[in-house]
Amino acid sequence: MSKIQSAKELLETYRQQSARLLPQPTYKKMVPEEEQMAELEHLKETIQYERFFFVVNLHTMELQHQHGVERWLGYKDKDFDFYTYLKLIHPAHVAAHNITSTTLIEGLMSGDWNIEFMKHRYITSAALQHKDGHYILCKRLACIFQYNDKNQLLEYINEFTVVGAYNGEPFSVRATNDQGEELQWLQDFLERTQRIFQEKNLFSFQELRILRKYAYHDQLSVADIAKAFKIQESSVITYHKRILEKANHLFSNKFSNAKQVAIVLKQQGLL
């Protein structure tokens, strides 16, 4: 059996990957800074809903734009670094995290894949240790935040949704009702949704942004969404139709509006 890497060893592995795949720090960044900042502002609105996030710079191995960490993990946002994050991963999840993360980053930094800002989404469970010692279970979404003109990943953003106390759950997805009974139809949906989110990018970038808005502000109108993203109301209506077409393709129970889709995806930590 291979030895599980410590946080220090894993950080060094990431650094070696970066040095090998990005030997020179000079490259053209493809995502405009104003687009990144706009996305961060939208994400900040969700912190009060048991969410936190940070950006990982793969060239420096430093964290940027940490928000919500102090509120939900107990560590001051400005002092929370990549090494600290790696140390907080529960021992039962470390091996799976290390293998999947290094393999995925290797692929995304190779330049062989066609990648896009905030579109490709990697979804896992993550048991993290709070500063006071207990572990919490989170849904983790990792998305592309910056890449260069050679299609190499430069930065990714980790978004976490707190699910609750960690009780030994494996690196997997579960679905139950309020009695703790497994709902097989929802379990099947979650597994299909994760595969599609990871492999086929079910929703477009703009559709995901609209869904996230509804997930945390379900009172918003079409006009509110149009104003928030500086698009026409007719465009919002078109996005609604596309969201419903895609979501209804996955469900036996049909949705009647985009807000219903957003609520279900939020409940499963997918937004």
Side-chain angles (χ1 to χ4, degrees):
M1 181 179 295
S2 60
K3 177 179 176 290
I4 296 176
Q5 286 182 300
S6 67
K8 184 177 181 180
E9 290 169 334
L10 182 58
L11 183 58
E12 183 58 29
T13 296
Y14 284 133
R15 285 175 173 153
Q16 291 175 4
Q17 274 187 318
S18 176
R20 174 167 48 84
L21 296 169
L22 294 172
Q24 300 296 327
T26 55
Y27 35 67
K28 179 181 178 181
K29 295 181 178 181
M30 301 304 290
V31 183
E33 184 177 357
E34 56 268 26
E35 193 169 350
Q36 290 180 307
M37 293 302 104
E39 183 64 22
L40 290 172
E41 287 303 313
H42 290 304
L43 286 175
K44 288 178 187 178
E45 297 176 1
T46 71
I47 289 173
Q48 61 183 308
Y49 301 100
E50 297 186 302
R51 287 171 57 88
F52 59 95
F53 64 89
F54 52 80
V55 174
V56 181
N57 183 314
L58 288 172
H59 191 82
T60 64
M61 288 302 142
E62 295 177 351
L63 299 190
Q64 303 167 341
H65 308 293
Q66 304 95 311
H67 293 282
V69 175
E70 182 172 7
R71 182 166 185 171
W72 301 111
L73 282 181
Y75 295 86
K76 291 187 179 299
D77 290 349
K78 64 182 181 64
D79 298 330
F80 191 72
D81 59 19
F82 198 28
Y83 176 62
T84 301
Y85 163 65
L86 295 174
K87 288 196 302 181
L88 300 184
I89 301 171
H90 193 281
H93 285 190
V94 167
H97 175 278
N98 292 2
I99 292 170
T100 56
S101 294
T102 53
T103 301
L104 185 65
I105 289 174
E106 179 84 17
L108 291 173
M109 293 181 75
S110 69
D112 295 334
W113 296 356
N114 183 26
I115 59 179
E116 297 180 49
F117 175 62
M118 296 299 292
K119 183 174 181 181
H120 299 79
R121 302 162 69 82
Y122 170 62
I123 306 164
T124 68
S125 299
L128 302 177
Q129 189 173 35
H130 191 279
K131 190 175 183 180
D132 67 11
H134 73 280
Y135 282 89
I136 59 175
L137 182 66
C138 303
K139 286 289 185 182
R140 170 191 170 224
L141 279 70
C143 305
I144 293 161
F145 202 66
Q146 184 60 270
Y147 59 100
N148 65 14
D149 52 348
K150 294 183 179 179
N151 235 28
Q152 294 174 295
L153 178 67
L154 302 178
E155 301 171 3
Y156 67 91
I157 187 166
N158 271 336
E159 304 174 38
F160 296 87
T161 301
V162 178
V163 176
Y166 175 62
N167 295 304
E169 292 88 349
F171 223 60
S172 61
V173 180
R174 294 179 64 243
T176 66
N177 61 18
D178 57 1
Q179 303 300 315
E181 300 165 337
E182 186 171 292
L183 300 175
Q184 191 59 50
W185 69 269
L186 187 52
Q187 179 72 25
D188 292 342
F189 160 72
L190 290 174
E191 292 175 357
R192 291 200 308 273
T193 300
Q194 281 206 318
R195 287 196 299 271
I196 292 171
F197 263 72
Q198 294 174 39
E199 300 170 6
K200 298 182 180 179
N201 301 307
L202 175 62
F203 297 110
S204 71
F205 171 53
Q206 189 64 280
E207 289 163 359
L208 286 169
R209 296 178 82 189
I210 290 172
L211 283 166
R212 184 184 289 122
K213 274 289 189 184
Y214 281 140
Y216 297 95
H217 305 280
D218 61 4
Q219 77 283 1
L220 293 179
S221 66
V222 168
D224 293 329
I225 295 294
K227 182 178 179 181
F229 295 117
K230 299 179 181 179
I231 58 178
Q232 298 295 318
E233 290 185 27
S234 59
S235 296
V236 177
I237 293 172
T238 298
Y239 284 123
H240 281 193
K241 291 178 180 178
R242 293 175 183 171
I243 288 169
L244 284 177
E245 288 174 358
K246 294 174 180 180
N248 285 334
H249 180 68
L250 292 176
F251 277 87
S252 55
N253 294 341
K254 300 298 183 182
F255 292 105
S256 60
N257 58 64
K259 292 181 181 180
Q260 292 177 354
V261 179
I263 290 170
V264 170
L265 295 179
K266 174 191 172 186
Q267 289 172 343
Q268 304 309 321
L270 297 174
L271 288 176

